[in-house]
Amino acid sequence: QTFNLTAGGAWGTARAWWVGIEAKSTAAWKRFQSALEAYVHEYKTARVTRDYINATGYLLGENVASVRCGGMIKGKPDEVARRAFLDALPGWTWNCLDFAWDAFKVAMQMYVDEFKTARVHAHYKNKDQYALGEALSQVRTRGAYLSGKLDEKERRAWLEALPDWSWNLYDDAWEEFKVVICNHVRKTGSAYAPQSYVD
């Protein structure tokens, strides 16, 4: 059989359908591009957290993760231009694991700058609701963002240079207790404290 190549035939219908799909794809990219540019304008970085949703309800974080895996990029006629646009953004990375390390490192440095210590409470979240305490626990217990990385030694060295850094959570708890009990002895002259005492 041969296709009906007239404007109203099967070929015309298929072509119209394909043009519609491509138009939707282009519109989706432009919306993503606009949302990402707005984020960069506000936060000065393209490091978008996975759960970030902008004021219009657009799931920018999820779409950034999709684009890193090739969504809205691979096979597109302007793939090179799209990749160049992203590469030019401050803080952009194609590797989500490196992105996770960068996000952790920034949050950790901000915490150290503010509190002068790398001892982070297990449930601590910063003002951006980044769960730094949980992330730090994953770094210590599972080697998250570290194991198998080409720059693992550099990452470990960076952590170990932080004030009060420890790879052992229990050592941290002991050091914290020791400081508190010593302060209590200095103030009261005794190591006794009622069970309900909070410093």
Side-chain angles (χ1 to χ4, degrees), residues 69-138:
C69 296
M72 293 192 273
I73 295 284
K74 285 185 179 177
K76 298 299 177 186
D78 59 344
E79 178 177 347
V80 172
R82 293 186 185 192
R83 287 182 180 275
F85 161 75
L86 293 167
D87 287 334
L89 296 175
W92 175 262
T93 177
W94 292 99
N95 187 316
C96 52
L97 294 179
D98 285 345
F99 168 76
W101 163 255
D102 289 343
F104 166 75
K105 186 176 179 181
V106 167
M108 193 72 198
Q109 187 63 62
M110 288 174 64
Y111 184 91
V112 168
D113 289 345
E114 183 174 356
F115 299 105
K116 312 306 179 193
T117 180
R119 292 190 188 129
V120 183
H121 189 278
H123 303 295
Y124 176 81
K125 292 184 179 181
N126 65 16
K127 60 184 175 64
D128 298 321
Q129 294 303 299
Y130 179 80
L132 179 60
E134 184 179 329
L136 180 54
S137 176
Q138 294 297 313

Side-chain angles (χ1 to χ4, degrees), residues 29-187:
W29 168 255
K30 289 190 179 299
R31 185 179 183 196
F32 167 76
Q33 193 175 26
S34 176
L36 187 54
E37 284 177 328
Y39 185 92
V40 169
H41 179 74
E42 182 173 357
Y43 297 103
K44 313 306 179 194
T45 181
R47 291 176 182 156
V48 185
T49 57
R50 181 66 181 257
D51 58 351
Y52 180 81
I53 302 172
N54 70 12
T56 68
Y58 183 72
L59 304 175
L60 182 59
E62 288 190 11
N63 279 287
V64 164
S66 172
V67 167
R68 284 199 186 103
C69 296
M72 293 192 273
I73 295 284
K74 285 185 179 177
K76 298 299 177 186
D78 59 344
E79 178 177 347
V80 172
R82 293 186 185 192
R83 287 182 180 275
F85 161 75
L86 293 167
D87 287 334
L89 296 175
W92 175 262
T93 177
W94 292 99
N95 187 316
C96 52
L97 294 179
D98 285 345
F99 168 76
W101 163 255
D102 289 343
F104 166 75
K105 186 176 179 181
V106 167
M108 193 72 198
Q109 187 63 62
M110 288 174 64
Y111 184 91
V112 168
D113 289 345
E114 183 174 356
F115 299 105
K116 312 306 179 193
T117 180
R119 292 190 188 129
V120 183
H121 189 278
H123 303 295
Y124 176 81
K125 292 184 179 181
N126 65 16
K127 60 184 175 64
D128 298 321
Q129 294 303 299
Y130 179 80
L132 179 60
E134 184 179 329
L136 180 54
S137 176
Q138 294 297 313
V139 168
R140 282 176 167 146
T141 60
R142 296 195 304 109
Y145 323 134
L146 301 174
S147 299
K149 296 296 176 186
L150 292 175
D151 60 346
E152 181 176 349
K153 286 184 178 179
E154 289 82 356
R155 293 185 184 191
R156 287 181 178 274
W158 181 83
L159 289 167
E160 290 166 359
L162 296 174
D164 302 322
W165 173 261
S166 169
W167 288 103
N168 190 313
L169 185 62
Y170 298 106
D171 286 348
D172 276 6
W174 165 252
E175 291 299 328
E176 185 176 5
F177 167 76
K178 192 164 70 170
V179 168
V180 171
I181 194 76
C182 287
N183 287 339
H184 181 70
V185 169
R186 273 194 293 272
K187 283 194 279 187

